[in-house]
Amino acid sequence: MKITLLATAAASLALAGFSANALALDVEAARSLADQNNCMQCHGLRKDKDGPSFLKTADRLRGKPNATDEVLKHLTSGKEVKLADGTKEKHTVAKTMPANDVAQLRNLAAFILSIQPK
Amino acid sequence: MTASGKSGWWAALRRPSAKYSLLALLVVGFFGGILFWGGFNTGMEATNAMKFCIACHEMRTTVYEEYKTTIHYSNRTGVRATCADCHVPRDWTNKMIRKVRASYELWGKITGKIDTPEKFEANRMAMAEREWARMRATDSIECRNCHSFEAMSQEAQKKTAHKKHVEARQQGMTCIDCHQGIAHRLPRGFRKPGAEEEE
């Protein structure tokens, strides 16, 4: 029984460590991907441009259980979005190198959600 | 020994022919010139081929793989821009200058400057900045072989893209001022102009 408990505890710790690694935010990679896709042409980190700031998106979604998935969907679906002047256009689909690397896109989504007010 | 008393290769080359007519020399020179020029240009064009560029693993395993994920490699209309289309000017003089400068890359190959992924990444920023500076100096001449502000249709472009292009034109900007990394991964640590404005 004692051995089983120890093994379970060790496995839980290992899993927790693995998850932390898997979710570790690589800010530089996220910023590079944002630049690669020209995100900052329409979004500021904390300043609205033609599109809302990353901070506004983070504030809207922060704390929601599916926040990352929602940002991910926004980055990849090419859905129609409303611009600051009220007109609409299709959002650019974010591309990665290699193509369709979900890990890179999730990292960018996590970065967007991590923006805090100054 | 010649009549003037001079000997050697140079004197022999300068001495008028006593055996061949001027016409024969002109005909041989004319066709020899065509053969030389044809061979030279064929060789030069061979170095513009994509298979030549990716013959070395330094290009094949890095920037070529990145380029294959971009619109310049594969797109709706099937028009492909190859390495030389973006990195070698088309007009002869600038092409020759580019080729001569590119010969320095052979030294890099010999010395193994970027022969591992780690070395390539360590030098990516320097290589990218050198290429961007070259393109900026020529008003992105290779981009403009296919793209121009004049030919851009407002109806065909997204509203935001059109707005940026109008602003860029008014400010005298050139393609590479905004479109760095359009066919290759950006160097780690590089921030596009404007991205830092609020930090």
Side-chain angles (χ1 to χ4, degrees):
Chain A
M1 181 67 179
K2 203 172 182 180
I3 292 170
T4 311
L5 277 174
L6 278 172
T8 308
S12 302
L13 281 172
L15 195 63
F18 176 78
S19 300
N21 273 340
L23 295 172
L25 174 63
D26 184 343
V27 174
E28 180 48 44
R31 295 218 56 178
S32 200
L33 187 61
D35 264 345
Q36 193 89 45
N37 283 281
N38 283 326
C39 301
M40 313 318 288
Q41 290 281 345
C42 294
H43 303 276
L45 290 183
R46 296 178 185 82
K47 192 171 82 174
D48 291 342
K49 295 184 181 175
D50 285 321
S53 68
F54 284 176
L55 175 63
K56 196 174 268 182
T57 301
D59 283 345
R60 183 168 58 83
L61 296 173
R62 215 186 314 270
K64 288 190 179 176
N66 61 345
T68 307
D69 288 336
E70 203 162 315
V71 177
L72 199 61
K73 191 177 169 191
H74 189 79
L75 293 173
T76 54
S77 64
K79 69 173 183 179
E80 199 165 61
V81 291
K82 200 172 176 182
L83 306 179
D85 65 1
T87 58
K88 290 180 177 177
E89 74 173 31
K90 285 192 173 174
H91 190 271
T92 301
V93 174
K95 290 183 177 166
T96 60
M97 295 176 187
N100 307 316
D101 186 341
V102 179
Q104 284 188 44
L105 292 165
R106 290 194 85 84
N107 186 59
L108 176 56
F111 169 70
I112 292 168
L113 292 168
S114 76
I115 303 297
Q116 300 282 346
K118 269 196 169 176
Chain B
M1 182 71 75
T2 63
S4 60
K6 291 181 179 174
S7 63
W9 280 102
W10 184 237
L13 284 172
R14 294 188 65 193
R15 192 169 56 237
S17 170
K19 190 174 178 182
Y20 301 107
S21 68
L22 180 61
L23 181 65
L25 290 172
L26 283 173
V27 168
V28 169
F30 178 76
F31 286 104
I34 288 175
L35 281 174
F36 171 78
W37 194 243
F40 181 78
N41 267 325
T42 303
M44 195 57 63
E45 285 309 312
T47 66
N48 266 0
M50 192 143 74
K51 64 182 176 186
F52 176 85
C53 301
I54 59 172
C56 296
H57 78 277
E58 286 91 338
M59 296 291 113
R60 190 174 56 247
T61 59
T62 55
V63 285
Y64 176 62
E65 286 300 321
E66 296 159 14
Y67 153 71
K68 283 202 295 183
T69 67
T70 71
I71 198 165
H72 282 93
Y73 179 81
S74 177
N75 51 65
R76 183 176 57 82
T77 53
V79 180
R80 177 175 291 171
T82 64
C83 312
D85 288 326
C86 299
H87 294 289
V88 183
R90 284 186 185 171
D91 72 282
W92 195 83
T93 309
N94 282 314
K95 180 159 67 178
M96 286 304 107
I97 293 168
R98 178 79 184 99
K99 292 289 178 188
V100 170
R101 286 188 177 156
S103 61
Y104 177 69
E105 290 161 18
L106 291 174
W107 179 246
K109 172 73 182 170
I110 293 164
T111 56
K113 193 173 173 65
I114 51 168
D115 62 359
T116 66
E118 294 74 23
K119 285 186 191 174
F120 191 96
E121 289 309 320
N123 285 284
R124 188 187 281 264
M125 182 74 89
M127 292 189 290
E129 284 185 333
R130 194 181 309 131
E131 185 61 355
W132 295 335
R134 186 191 67 78
M135 295 178 91
R136 210 168 279 124
T138 60
D139 191 15
S140 309
I141 191 171
E142 290 94 348
C143 308
R144 291 182 187 284
N145 285 330
C146 298
H147 304 274
S148 71
F149 284 128
E150 296 77 20
M152 287 175 185
S153 161
Q154 183 173 355
E155 288 74 33
Q157 281 190 342
K158 281 185 177 180
K159 185 180 160 63
T160 44
H162 179 70
K163 191 171 114 180
K164 297 291 176 194
H165 284 135
V166 169
E167 285 172 9
R169 191 177 191 182
Q170 286 168 349
Q171 292 167 20
M173 293 170 75
T174 188
C175 313
I176 202 63
D177 287 329
C178 295
H179 291 287
Q180 307 98 323
I182 199 157
H184 308 296
R185 187 178 292 163
L186 285 170
R188 203 170 165 85
F190 172 76
R191 290 280 83 81
K192 283 194 176 181
E196 304 281 2
E197 65 197 29
E198 52 188 317
E199 300 207 344

